[in-house]
Amino acid sequence: MSLSSAIDTWNPQKALATQSYRVFPQVYASLLRSTPDGKTLRPALASSYKADPKAKTLTFTLNPDAKFSDGKPVTSADVKFSEGLWSKGELYGGYFSSIKSVQTPSPRTVVFKLSKADETLPAVLSTANAAIFPDKYGGRTADAYWKKPVGAGPFMISKQTVGRSIGLTRNPHYYRSGLPYLDGVEYKVVADGGQQLLQFQSGSLDVVNGVELEAAAQYPKDQIVGAPSSGVSVLTTNTKSGPLSDVRLRKAIALAIDYKKLVAGGYVGEASVATSLLPQQVPGVTKCPSCTWSTTDLATAKDLVKDSDYNGQNIELIVPSDGGPGKLAAQALVPMLAEAGVKVTVNPLPTSSLIDKLSKSDFQLGVITYSALAPTPIDPLGFLGATGVVFSQSSPGPANKALAEVHAASSPSEVTAAAQAFEATADKSRAAIPLAVPKALDAVADRVRGFAAAPYQAYCADELSIKS
């Protein structure tokens, strides 16, 4: 299998690169897992669970066959230790804010005491952000563990060359009897879309994770597998320093973009116009009635540029150079913004360098695609709150407020209302501007059986097999 960029960490609570979440489900397992269509949940390390809204508890019974790849059983102590890591996570701790405490009445029973009834929590507990790790890192230091972690997923790490490849071998203690079918999986970092295609055609790659949109037409149609996209490409701005600290310039840029033309050219028709900053595939996310996302008004854009403090200086637009949508889109934005009087040059960077610049606020403009990993607005809202709205340095307050409201929601309409309230605030700020919803495309060789594209991208390879 190919990855368009290297994973950025083995720690799911620190991971930002989408490709990391392609690999995590092979090494880690969670209490629950989602079906391939992403719509329902099924047992995983927990064989069953029961919610008690009145007592505000979630009680899990662990699968007696659940073991880590070193053969040690998964116990309630491991779950309690893992929850301590989740809730203190630098980026995604807010996902678990409704968990007040964890009780372990027996080695196979875990009780989450909640501060409030939370119907959204089980979906989050099916993601890699809620992976189960050995208690106290299995007797290792944290640093040693994260270099080569032990998990309860279908495979275990056999070798890795940082930034280049990861070799996985079959976990003989996997809780699903008879699985995985494969003896191993090798991930190769192949950043160039042309090289991905050539290696796929030659048989050096069986699966291309995330086909570059501009190369999709060159693959055999029957070997392209698509799923509803859970991502959204956004143009993020540095709101604290430089010319884009002026909201008038940010609004001018948003209005100068011809979104339909951008989708047709920059995303080669393999996308749709984004109507929300939150991923549209996520249940509860609908178009905000008062928002004006995807509106084009060049005349007003020109007026706003003139009224702003922008003095005509060049603005750098950073974009990932190693796969994923955005490279062509960034180039397509340049002439559109020039028409409004805004000078932009594109600087493609490796994903690791781009994330570093975004995290340090060492940028002016950036195109980035972020994706939800679970069918609940908690996931994208938590990400936006943790990153200051896609690294724009905006206040996390509105996202965190919406996150709390979604946690406390007792009906789908309350979830939608919370998401739309956040969208309305983000629409006024234009700190991050949604551009498009790129298709999620993978290429799968004919000899591969059992591949099911997941709408949240993080599929588990335990049912993959090779036709002999």
Side-chain angles (χ1 to χ4, degrees):
M1 298 188 182
S2 72
L3 299 172
S4 60
S5 65
I7 69 170
D8 53 345
T9 175
W10 280 110
N11 186 344
Q13 283 300 321
K14 293 184 177 181
L16 286 167
T18 301
Q19 296 301 313
S20 298
Y21 290 94
R22 297 274 195 172
V23 181
F24 289 162
Q26 319 322 331
V27 175
Y28 301 130
S30 303
L31 293 172
L32 304 172
R33 61 187 285 171
S34 64
T35 53
D37 62 9
K39 294 181 179 179
T40 56
L41 301 175
R42 58 185 181 185
L45 297 183
S47 56
S48 64
Y49 76 97
K50 181 180 180 181
D52 187 337
K54 290 185 178 180
K56 300 177 184 177
T57 59
L58 267 178
T59 301
F60 291 87
T61 300
L62 298 181
N63 187 330
D65 295 325
K67 294 180 181 180
F68 293 105
S69 59
D70 60 5
K72 295 179 181 178
V74 176
T75 69
S76 56
D78 301 312
V79 178
K80 183 172 183 176
F81 171 76
S82 300
E83 191 280 333
L85 299 181
W86 311 337
S87 61
K88 295 175 183 176
E90 298 175 21
L91 294 174
Y92 313 112
Y95 294 12
F96 310 98
S97 59
S98 62
I99 301 177
K100 189 176 180 180
S101 64
V102 181
Q103 299 176 347
T104 56
S106 78
R108 286 188 53 212
T109 306
V110 183
V111 181
F112 289 171
K113 295 285 289 185
L114 309 179
S115 57
K116 50 186 175 291
D118 187 351
E119 295 183 359
T120 65
L121 185 58
V124 176
L125 294 175
S126 71
T127 70
N129 292 124
I132 303 301
F133 312 107
D135 184 24
K136 300 181 180 65
Y137 299 114
R140 298 159 65 189
T141 65
D143 287 344
Y145 179 82
W146 292 123
K147 287 180 180 177
K148 191 177 181 181
V150 171
F155 299 94
M156 54 187 178
I157 303 166
S158 58
K159 59 182 179 179
Q160 52 185 329
T161 302
V162 177
R164 295 179 60 187
S165 65
I166 299 170
L168 306 178
T169 55
R170 190 177 190 274
N171 173 9
H173 307 289
Y174 190 46
Y175 71 92
R176 299 186 74 191
S177 179
L179 296 177
Y181 294 126
L182 298 176
D183 293 323
V185 174
E186 181 185 1
Y187 285 98
K188 299 166 61 178
V189 177
V190 185
D192 181 74
Q195 278 298 315
Q196 291 172 2
L197 176 62
L198 288 174
Q199 292 190 35
F200 183 79
Q201 291 172 332
S202 70
S204 297
L205 287 173
D206 291 300
V207 177
V208 176
N209 284 303
V211 170
E212 285 198 355
L213 300 184
E214 54 265 41
Q218 299 178 60
Y219 288 82
K221 288 185 178 179
D222 62 351
Q223 293 180 338
I224 288 289
V225 179
S229 175
S230 63
V232 57
S233 282
V234 302
L235 181 64
T236 188
T237 70
N238 188 330
T239 64
K240 293 300 181 184
S241 63
L244 292 158
S245 60
D246 189 333
V247 67
R248 292 167 296 185
L249 183 59
R250 300 199 299 269
K251 289 182 177 180
I253 287 174
L255 290 172
I257 299 170
D258 185 328
Y259 295 89
K260 291 183 179 179
K261 187 176 179 181
L262 180 66
V263 164
Y267 294 91
V268 295
E270 299 286 354
S272 59
V273 173
T275 59
S276 60
L277 184 57
L278 297 172
Q280 296 165 208
Q281 169 71 13
V282 175
V285 176
T286 59
K287 187 175 181 180
C288 161
S290 64
C291 296
T292 56
W293 298 129
S294 70
T295 299
T296 305
D297 187 341
L298 186 57
T300 301
K302 290 179 178 179
D303 289 341
L304 284 168
V305 170
K306 291 177 182 177
D307 291 341
S308 73
D309 294 329
Y310 176 64
N311 61 15
Q313 71 266 47
N314 179 68
I315 296 176
E316 182 186 61
L317 170 57
I318 60 175
V319 62
S321 62
D322 49 7
K327 288 184 289 186
L328 280 180
Q331 295 292 347
L333 287 171
V334 173
M336 294 181 188
L337 301 185
E339 281 196 73
V342 181
K343 184 180 179 182
V344 172
T345 55
V346 177
N347 181 16
L349 297 170
T351 294
S352 58
S353 299
L354 179 130
I355 289 176
D356 184 61
K357 277 185 167 290
L358 292 174
S359 300
K360 294 177 179 177
S361 300
D362 180 23
F363 77 104
Q364 294 173 312
L365 272 178
V367 171
I368 183 173
T369 299
Y370 83 96
S371 300
L373 299 175
T376 166
I378 283 177
D379 184 8
L381 285 169
F383 171 79
L384 293 174
T387 60
V389 188
V390 199
F391 308 101
S392 66
Q393 299 190 73
S394 297
S395 168
N400 289 337
K401 180 175 183 291
L403 180 65
E405 290 173 349
V406 171
H407 271 301
S410 58
S411 68
S413 61
E414 290 181 358
V415 171
T416 297
Q420 289 191 347
F422 166 76
E423 289 280 348
T425 301
D427 180 68
K428 292 178 181 178
S429 168
R430 297 296 168 120
I433 303 161
L435 301 174
V437 178
K439 292 181 181 178
L441 302 177
D442 300 318
V444 183
D446 287 336
R447 75 188 193 116
V448 177
R449 296 288 181 265
F451 186 94
Y456 298 97
Q457 299 191 33
Y459 66 87
C460 182
D462 59 356
E463 295 182 17
L464 287 189
S465 62
I466 296 295
K467 180 182 177 182
S468 58

